[in-house]
Amino acid sequence: MVSGHIFHCRKNSWPAEEYVGRTALQLLDFDGGAPPEQAWRRRLNSHANILKEFSVTFMEAMRMMSLGLRLWSYVREEASHGRKAPIDPFTKERCKPSASQGVPLGGMGSGSISRGFRGEFKNWHIIPGLCESSPVMENQFSIFVSRDGGNKKYSSVLAPGHHEGLKKNSDSGISSWDWNLSGQHSTYHALFPRAWTVYDGEPDPDLKISCRQISPFIPHDYKDSSLPTSVFVYTLVNTGRDRAKVSLLMTWANSIGGFSHNSGGHYNEPFIAEDGVSGVLLHHKTAKDNPPVTFAVAACETQNVNVTVLPVFGLSGENHVSAKEMWNTMLQNGHFDRENFSAGPSMPSSPGQKLCAAVSASTWVEPHGRCTVVFALAWSSPKVKFQKGCTYNRRYTQFYGTSEKSAVNLVHDALTKYKLWEEEIEKWQNPILKDERLPEWYKFTLFNELYFLVAGGTVWTDGQPPAIDEKKSPGFNHQKSSKRGTKDTNQGSVKDRHVNLAVEQVPHGGYMANGDDHSVSKFAAVHGSEMQEQINGLKSEEPIPYLISKDGPEHVGKFLYLEGVEYIMWNTYDVHFYASFALLDLFPKIELSIQRDFANAVLYEDRRKVKFLADGTSGIRKVKGAVPHDLGTHDPWHEMNAYNIHDTSKWKDLNPKFVLQIYRDFAATGDMQFGRDVWPAVCAAMDYMDQFDRDGDGLIENDGFPDQTYDAWTVHGISAYCGCLWLAALQAAATMAHRLGDRHFAEKYKLKFIKAKAVYEAKLWNGSYFNYDSGTSSNSRSIQADQLAGQWYAASSGLPPLFDEHKIRTALQKIFEFNVMKVKGGRMGAVNGMTPKGKVDETCMQSREIWTGVTYAVAANMLLHGMEHQGFTTAEGIFTAGWSEEGYGYWFQTPEGWTTDGHYRSLVYMRPLAIWAIQYAVSPPKAILEAPKVNLMDRIHISPHMVRAISEISIRKVAPDNRCFPSSAFHCEC
């Protein structure tokens, strides 16, 4: 825990007064119009530089040439089926990434739209796994001000006119609008999930304007946090002597980004709802048989605010009012005709035609008066369809139904409930923002990194089984594709032939007849047999993928988020290991639901063949007992392990990470039922790892290839990273077994831990840190920043330290002095590998990278061990390089990592959510804080029988047949 005051940058390093005049701040300080004291800030005229991507060295390229050729072939094969490969480094976006991002819109899991700090709506993530990054420039807010009887007029789009996305296609299009905003006196202030844009005398010198963007991201609220909607609250202050008529305009295109409007068949219609809410619905017919989307653009009419609409305008003016004519109407009148509300649905658009709509809200602002005008946007796409045929209902449909027209109710509730949302958001954020122990940069970066839970391709379903498109998923022999979850359990079904629930009842006592101790214990066996009968309340005649993809006891549906927008794999588990602290803190029921998915997946097998691209060999898609790398790409839950670079069933970090996450969540929530339910999977995952302890010393060995999350960085023998994870997993499993009353496994894991710890320290400790691995390669003595990942989890879970505290602090200090401070004075984060001579380890691409999420994790580990200065200095390097004005421009798109010269790899990545591990270290959960200060490992008594049994197994140990999982808990079909 952090104590005292910590200042690594000046106390008020980002004061609002440096961006907005003090007078303007005071005038806007009503109804939430003033930006917060602590926020990430930019001027609207800031240059949005093009980001620089990493490149491999010549030697790296030569080593990866075979992989590259196989990957190229795989990408082309997937494209021939109309699918995007999970990893595709060859296809580049049409819109080059730039330093222009801002707070995204909406809640979680219902499709997202990002909004740049200069106001552009971009990064459309409506269809799962697909992101259209280009801005739709027709989507704008604009203002029209008339004073002195119309003798003074001001009009402008409320976005800088020098935007690179603005193209002058025709005189009748949006280039004819007034783009008069320079942005010199306009500023953006971000504190996720809200953002403020302040226009301090632009375009009218006597009008102060604040636009407050609000989205329903509310911790522990599993209803409103799923809603696809955002609110825009305009606060107007008239500092002039004249009464001012102010008309605000919101324009929106019938598009989901890119060229989606070209498909045709889209139409718009006006609507009037209750409580003064009115606007336009834009019905979008998506291409490639994807579910439709309906946008609702609306404003709230009050006694002082008049709302009018123009349901349709176009860019050319051929069939509809043109964009230029629409603008001229607003210039002249400041509103549209009221009769437009009775226009009815428009004619469907022709292919290539872009339909747009406009909503105007007009008001009078008296001299020195104030006024509030509120707009809202909702997008209703109730069904989410994956490319191999499965369609699910989104989470919010539980509350709003599956009609596309639910957008009206969504936008209505947003306009009438946003103040309650803000109260809840402030209640959550204020204790952290007011915590004087914490650096200011950290406070707002902590919240802003949460952007990924909205913009990271999140999908949140209602937890019901999918409807199957038989054309795209022929393996499912369903009776009717229109019925959700209807299935033929005939053994001839292709998918059913290849997937198996792998838990079987074993004799009481948990031992095989031959005495082999690879079995699941009596406790696990009993619950394993129960799981065969019922998993989360579902009967066993249902195919296992349905059991995995259905709702669990938490009753919060099913949740997916991408590894990154460039690495399209759902819930990538080795990365979730770092990111999961955010969900555990803010949405613990979602976190437990994800862990249940993986627990069920451990006990599942998919024997379909997969080619692994690193070496060209083949294997089965999912091995029994192995934790999957991910839940899939184009058919999540049903087709796991979309990652096919390496055979991840041979990775050494996934199973220990599973056990560690399970125990951490079990300890943090105190949910005993969760612990009992997942215990069979924990036992299976631990037993699976026995095959990698080839000399019987209790410690697993790596196999001379990149068999862990650093999948380009080869490891030989015992490794600091995987070995430490394994030690922590042994301790976690033993402690969990003790708490659940499984004495047999508690003894077994404790004994293994004692043996393995002695070997680990003897082989790797060199007096100041743990060597990278026990091999003889040139980098075996490198200093790995992530070497104590297992200790980080042990400390986070309230477990006793794996090593002597002096060794832990000495190793962390070495990492700080070498991996952090020797790279540009600590202003970049922690480089993954550093040689003992103080040079960056150039062994491979990943050894020389700085990983943002790993840096946050290392910082959290330092804080857990009382190294407050080192911890926050380490984390601040990520802020400096990624988020500050002197950095490289990675705000709201934090990449997996960057090189020491700041070139990124994989933007918008999951792992940086690990910043919440820092907050977890600063303020641990109540269950961890209030747990008895007793070392439960000391309470586990090891019987002489167990000592003899383990010793006999070690003596008999032989290399297992890799085709077969050697546990009585699993039925071998090889």
Side-chain angles (χ1 to χ4, degrees), residues 54 61 150 165 205 277 391 435 502 514 607 612 669 710 808 869 912 929 931 962:
F54 84 108
V277 175
T391 301
D435 190 338
N514 63 6
R607 299 187 66 83
F612 302 114
T669 62
Y710 299 90
I808 296 170
H869 167 73
L929 283 174
N962 287 332

Side-chain angles (χ1 to χ4, degrees), residues 1-9 11 433-440 443 863 866-870 872-873 922:
M1 293 191 57
V2 174
S3 59
H5 295 259
I6 302 168
F7 301 114
H8 297 288
C9 49
K11 175 89 161 50
L433 295 174
K434 294 178 181 178
D435 190 338
E436 292 292 336
R437 302 172 300 166
L438 305 174
E440 186 173 2
K443 297 177 188 179
L863 289 167
M867 302 171 67
E868 297 169 1
H869 167 73
Q870 294 91 329
F872 278 112
T873 300
V922 170

Side-chain angles (χ1 to χ4, degrees), residues 235-447:
T235 302
L236 309 172
V237 180
N238 183 4
T239 60
R241 298 178 180 178
D242 303 318
R243 190 182 187 214
K245 181 182 180 182
V246 180
S247 297
L248 287 161
L249 178 72
M250 184 178 184
T251 52
W252 200 259
N254 197 324
S255 168
I256 58 172
F259 301 105
S260 59
H261 60 280
N262 286 341
S263 58
H266 320 302
Y267 68 97
N268 301 350
E269 62 175 322
F271 72 89
I272 298 177
E274 298 176 348
D275 302 313
V277 175
S278 55
V280 180
L281 291 175
L282 298 89
H283 302 279
H284 187 83
K285 180 182 177 181
T286 57
K288 299 181 180 179
D289 202 29
N290 283 303
V293 183
T294 297
F295 293 98
V297 182
C300 194
E301 188 161 275
T302 66
Q303 186 176 1
N304 300 318
V305 178
N306 180 45
V307 177
T308 56
V309 301
L310 182 63
V312 182
F313 71 88
L315 301 185
S316 64
E318 292 179 3
N319 300 315
H320 306 284
V321 172
S322 71
K324 182 176 183 179
E325 291 168 333
M326 181 278 297
W327 191 266
N328 288 337
T329 298
M330 288 299 299
L331 274 176
Q332 183 175 349
N333 304 326
H335 59 84
F336 301 114
D337 291 337
R338 294 289 301 182
E339 290 76 15
N340 289 344
F341 280 114
S342 58
S346 69
M347 291 294 292
S349 64
S350 303
Q353 181 185 30
K354 183 179 283 188
L355 298 185
C356 303
V359 176
S360 167
S362 306
T363 187
W364 287 93
V365 187
E366 301 297 326
H368 308 291
R370 301 172 178 180
C371 187
T372 300
V373 177
V374 189
F375 291 87
L377 169 71
W379 52 100
S380 178
S381 182
K383 297 186 182 300
V384 55
K385 183 176 182 180
F386 295 95
Q387 285 188 282
K388 288 195 174 179
C390 286
T391 301
Y392 301 83
N393 287 337
R394 296 190 190 266
R395 166 75 175 171
Y396 79 88
T397 63
Q398 283 197 316
F399 319 109
Y400 287 85
T402 57
S403 168
E404 289 84 8
K405 289 197 174 183
S406 61
V408 172
N409 294 330
L410 284 163
V411 82
H412 168 272
D413 288 357
L415 286 166
T416 55
K417 290 178 63 177
Y418 75 88
K419 290 185 178 180
L420 296 176
W421 292 345
E422 288 195 284
E423 288 178 10
E424 293 301 314
I425 290 168
E426 290 173 3
K427 191 185 302 182
W428 158 47
Q429 292 184 336
N430 282 343
I432 295 173
L433 295 174
K434 294 178 181 178
D435 190 338
E436 292 292 336
R437 302 172 300 166
L438 305 174
E440 186 173 2
W441 66 265
Y442 165 78
K443 297 177 188 179
F444 57 78
T445 308
L446 176 73
F447 294 114

Side-chain angles (χ1 to χ4, degrees), residues 577 581 584 660 663-665 667-668 788-801 857 860-861 863-865 916-925 927-929:
F577 176 76
F581 284 87
L584 177 60
L660 287 170
Y663 183 77
R664 179 205 57 189
D665 297 351
L788 290 174
Q791 173 55 36
W792 165 46
Y793 252 74
S796 297
S797 305
L799 292 168
N861 206 1
L863 289 167
L864 286 165
H865 293 90
W916 279 85
I918 296 177
Q919 189 59 27
Y920 191 97
V922 170
S923 301
I928 298 291
L929 283 174

Side-chain angles (χ1 to χ4, degrees), residues 758-822:
V759 175
Y760 182 90
E761 293 189 275
K763 293 284 183 71
L764 297 180
W765 180 251
N766 62 22
S768 58
Y769 64 94
F770 294 97
N771 291 335
Y772 176 69
D773 64 28
S774 63
T776 57
S777 62
S778 59
N779 69 320
S780 289
R781 284 183 56 83
S782 285
I783 308 162
Q784 184 177 10
D786 214 3
Q787 63 185 262
L788 290 174
Q791 173 55 36
W792 165 46
Y793 252 74
S796 297
S797 305
L799 292 168
L802 301 179
F803 316 108
D804 178 78
E805 187 68 24
H806 173 73
K807 287 183 178 178
I808 296 170
R809 289 176 61 93
T810 299
L812 289 172
Q813 184 64 29
K814 188 76 172 185
I815 292 165
F816 178 71
E817 292 174 356
F818 278 64
N819 301 62
V820 177
M821 298 309 295
K822 288 186 181 294

